[in-house]
Amino acid sequence: MKTLIATLALSLMALASAFSGVATAQTSPQQSAQDTVWIQIAARASLREAQAEAQEFAARLPDVSGFALGGGWYGIVLGPYARNDADRVLQVYRAERQIPRDSFIAFGRNLGNQFYPTAASANTETQPTVESPVLEPIDPAVVTEAPADPAASAQTLLPDETPAEARRSESRLTREERKDLQIALKAAGFYTSTIDGAFGRGTRGSMSDWQSARGYAPTGVLTTAQRQALMDEYNAPLISVGMAPLTDTKAGIALNIPAGEVTFDRYESPFALFKSSGDLGAQVLLISQPGDKRTLYGLYDIMQTLKIVPLDGPRQRSGNSFTLEGRGNGIVSYTEARLANGEIKGFTLVWPMGDDDRRARVLAEMQNSFERIDGVLDPAAGADAPQNVDLVSGLDVRKPRLSRSGFYVDAKGSVVTTSDVVAGCARVTLDHEYQAEVVFNDSAAGIAVLRPVEPLAPMAVAALASASARLQSDIAVSGFSYEGVLGAPSLSWGSLQDVKDLSGNTGVARLQLTSQPGDAGGPVLTTDGAVQGMLLSQSKGATQLPDGVSFAANADSLRSALSSAGVTVTDASAGAAALPVGALTRQASGMTVLVSCWE
């Protein structure tokens, strides 16, 4: 049996050499099940595929073996190891991506006949030299180890039972324990009927099939040891991430968490944050704060601005609770929270994409074990943490790749904007909240037309001028100069210099105006409130121009684009009087909207 010397950094190859006789002796995994465990890294339904994959792993890793799993499946494993060693080996190999993320601790009692390596091949083949990771001594202050599996230790105390003894021990099971066995049999593919806790013919038949597949006598009645083996098999995904109970008296929450993958970081209201401590990159947040329904709904909105809640995914808010699920950027996150007795409590689980089966088991375990206990997190918790406008309670806020201005052109919320803000976007939003779709885009003219997914009721709608303003007349551009940082549009003043651009294009006007990149797409207005055009991005037109030279697509170009998009526009009244500056500002702000591109 391999042991880890706490004061030395041992390599996995050294551990492998300590067991150099395992393969050649064709050791039965059941013989050492009480003392050792294995790491299952793959399972294949074809023996030939399993043999080939075992050879591939053996070319770069030590301790590779293959065993029948039953039910026509063949497993590829590493080991055997002492349990503590196996936890560390699993952590190191996962971190170096030498083995799949969903690899887990397996028990010898669940492994059947060995198919790799055979005695002949072990004696004749030259084993390659494998550069193995070094096992560093574990600092308990840094690494949270998964707790040793109590079932593995208990197995040494479980004697063999006769069928009569098995029935007697079975009779002492609760209804919930019987249901758990049916659920485990169903997950293993042996049971297809109702989960009712009643052991009828269907359940007995599935037990018998499971026993045959696992190398036991098919009696149809599971012994205590066999029940434990079945539940260990079912709970392997939870064991692999060190699922363990947590009671947080400050947050007033008790639940089971993947303690082998996350460790407590800090309190920063309304969260207790658990950062990743394993190779999966998982995170857990406990949500705890006093409040009412308004506070709950505010939290619902804030959570959706965080990077850990990707944009794509179902979300629901109703009554006194909400749920959020997001998929994207390599992660899947799930959040739930509920208001009761003036306290909002819940949790968030962040998990890597591509590990959905294990994520589903971990999430279900967290949901089923979640308990509200006395206490709620102090709203002042974490108040002394460094402040940053890009953080909410220490968590990164999701930011768009690009933001520009746009303006409403009809009562349904259709928007005209600059074409560069919609290029290569996975998602386009209006004011960071309302999703929009691109219905027209003329990149040559620099004009795009958007339609909100759900109709909006804008405060003001642009009225397009029927004739060009006079040269040297005053104009104003309404735009989000700093891409939404200020939260509202502002007016930039200038003058109309020419009704054509430098190349003679009469669809573009030249302005004397100092603008910022975020102003592009904003409406160009005269003092009577008529929209003369749309400010183009600074990349349009010639380069290396003097400061203060800008260009705008004129009203006729906008009409043409909007007509192509099927949008009916409003024409401005001719000869209207100039508006007071305050009235013009209100009108311009009401029609101007922030357009954002998200990756």
Side-chain angles (χ1 to χ4, degrees):
M1 173 176 177
K2 295 189 281 287
T3 58
L4 195 63
I5 300 176
T7 57
L8 297 176
L10 298 179
S11 70
L12 292 179
M13 182 59 78
L15 292 175
S17 64
F19 272 81
S20 58
V22 170
T24 57
Q26 291 288 283
T27 304
S28 170
Q30 289 86 348
Q31 291 174 355
S32 58
Q34 295 179 353
D35 302 321
T36 61
V37 295
W38 307 70
I39 298 174
Q40 184 169 320
I41 57 178
R44 296 290 176 260
S46 163
L47 177 58
R48 180 174 296 179
E49 290 180 6
Q51 289 173 326
E53 191 159 2
Q55 290 177 348
E56 291 178 5
F57 276 111
R60 51 189 174 85
L61 296 176
D63 301 333
V64 176
S65 298
F67 295 96
L69 300 178
W73 287 85
Y74 301 89
I76 303 166
V77 299
L78 304 179
Y81 304 115
R83 177 54 197 261
N84 288 340
D85 293 351
D87 288 336
R88 184 58 176 155
V89 171
L90 182 65
Q91 183 185 47
V92 172
Y93 274 151
R94 276 186 185 161
E96 296 190 349
R97 299 185 179 180
Q98 297 270 20
I99 60 177
R101 282 184 172 179
D102 57 356
S103 302
F104 59 88
I105 301 296
F107 301 100
R109 59 180 174 272
N110 296 330
L111 305 180
N113 294 327
Q114 186 170 0
F115 66 83
Y116 182 88
T118 62
S121 64
N123 287 328
T124 59
E125 292 181 4
T126 301
Q127 297 299 317
T129 300
V130 181
E131 184 177 352
S132 303
V134 176
L135 293 181
E136 298 291 343
I138 298 173
D139 180 357
V142 177
V143 180
T144 302
E145 290 255 36
D149 176 34
S153 299
Q155 181 68 13
T156 64
L157 306 176
L158 298 178
D160 291 335
E161 294 177 335
T162 66
E165 290 171 333
R167 284 188 179 276
R168 284 195 294 272
S169 65
E170 181 185 85
S171 68
R172 293 189 289 272
L173 296 176
T174 66
R175 183 178 179 83
E176 289 305 313
E177 289 172 333
R178 289 169 173 259
K179 285 184 177 181
D180 289 342
L181 290 171
Q182 288 178 325
I183 292 171
L185 287 166
K186 193 167 191 174
F190 295 94
Y191 183 65
T192 58
S193 190
T194 306
I195 306 298
D196 55 10
F199 288 176
R201 293 180 61 184
T203 303
R204 293 298 178 194
S206 68
M207 288 179 175
S208 179
D209 292 341
W210 181 86
Q211 287 172 321
S212 295
R214 299 299 183 262
Y216 300 112
T219 64
V221 181
L222 301 181
T223 67
T224 300
Q226 290 168 4
R227 292 195 297 270
Q228 185 65 65
L230 172 60
M231 294 310 299
D232 283 347
E233 180 182 315
Y234 174 65
N235 288 321
L238 302 181
I239 295 171
S240 71
V241 297
M243 211 70 187
L246 167 78
T247 299
D248 190 322
T249 55
K250 288 187 176 181
I253 293 173
L255 80 169
N256 293 340
I257 66 169
E261 293 294 333
V262 299
T263 186
F264 176 75
D265 184 19
R266 66 190 186 279
Y267 292 109
E268 195 160 340
S269 181
F271 306 118
L273 297 105
F274 290 76
K275 65 181 180 180
S276 173
S277 61
D279 61 289
L280 288 179
Q283 298 178 60
V284 169
L285 277 63
L286 302 186
I287 300 170
S288 177
Q289 69 177 139
D292 53 18
K293 186 176 292 188
R294 184 175 179 179
T295 311
L296 177 74
Y297 288 2
L299 177 64
Y300 174 79
D301 292 334
I302 290 172
M303 291 296 299
Q304 295 181 76
T305 69
L306 302 180
K307 281 187 176 181
I308 61 170
V309 183
L311 291 168
D312 294 331
R315 43 211 67 196
Q316 182 178 7
R317 188 190 71 181
S318 60
N320 292 325
S321 65
F322 70 76
T323 60
L324 294 168
E325 183 174 314
R327 288 178 174 268
N329 300 322
I331 64 170
V332 182
S333 80
Y334 173 86
T335 300
E336 65 176 48
R338 184 170 64 87
L339 169 66
N341 301 320
E343 297 176 347
I344 299 167
K345 294 184 179 182
F347 70 88
T348 296
L349 173 67
V350 182
W351 206 259
M353 293 184 73
D355 193 19
D356 286 347
D357 289 344
R358 184 160 51 167
R359 183 191 71 87
R361 288 295 310 281
V362 170
L363 177 58
E365 183 70 13
M366 293 179 69
Q367 290 173 315
N368 293 335
S369 63
F370 187 88
E371 181 183 356
R372 304 169 76 102
I373 60 177
D374 291 341
V376 65
L377 190 61
D378 183 354
D384 56 347
Q387 301 298 299
N388 190 314
V389 295
D390 294 330
L391 299 177
V392 172
S393 297
L395 298 171
D396 290 332
V397 175
R398 185 190 306 105
K399 298 174 66 176
R401 178 172 64 84
L402 183 72
S403 288
R404 294 292 183 261
S405 302
F407 55 98
Y408 293 110
V409 290
D410 69 7
K412 297 179 181 179
S414 299
V415 171
V416 65
T417 187
T418 178
S419 61
D420 63 335
V421 75
V422 300
C425 304
R427 183 183 177 102
V428 177
T429 62
L430 306 177
D431 285 340
H432 284 181
E433 185 172 356
Y434 307 104
Q435 187 171 352
E437 56 185 3
V438 180
V439 295
F440 176 84
N441 186 16
D442 184 348
S443 57
I447 302 171
V449 180
L450 311 178
R451 180 180 295 124
V453 172
E454 297 181 359
L456 301 177
M459 295 177 60
V461 173
L464 298 186
S466 56
S468 173
R470 297 180 62 84
L471 297 183
Q472 303 300 322
S473 59
D474 292 335
I475 53 93
V477 171
S478 177
F480 290 86
S481 302
Y482 298 97
E483 302 187 43
V485 172
L486 298 179
S490 57
L491 286 183
S492 300
W493 291 90
S495 61
L496 176 64
Q497 294 296 301
D498 202 343
V499 293
K500 58 183 181 299
D501 65 10
L502 298 176
S503 62
N505 178 7
T506 57
V508 176
R510 177 165 61 89
L511 312 177
Q512 181 67 36
L513 176 81
T514 299
S515 63
Q516 300 294 330
D519 291 318
V524 178
L525 304 98
T526 45
T527 55
D528 60 357
V531 173
Q532 290 286 331
M534 180 197 75
L535 186 69
L536 294 169
S537 67
Q538 294 176 345
S539 62
K540 287 293 175 185
T543 58
Q544 301 297 324
L545 293 174
D547 291 339
V549 177
S550 299
F551 297 93
N554 64 25
D556 287 340
S557 297
L558 297 181
R559 280 192 180 88
S560 176
L562 291 167
S563 176
S564 299
V567 177
T568 302
V569 299
T570 300
D571 291 328
S573 301
L579 296 173
V581 173
L584 180 64
T585 300
R586 287 192 296 273
Q587 180 176 321
S589 296
M591 72 174 71
T592 308
V593 62
L594 182 67
V595 180
S596 298
C597 169
W598 304 83
E599 292 181 327

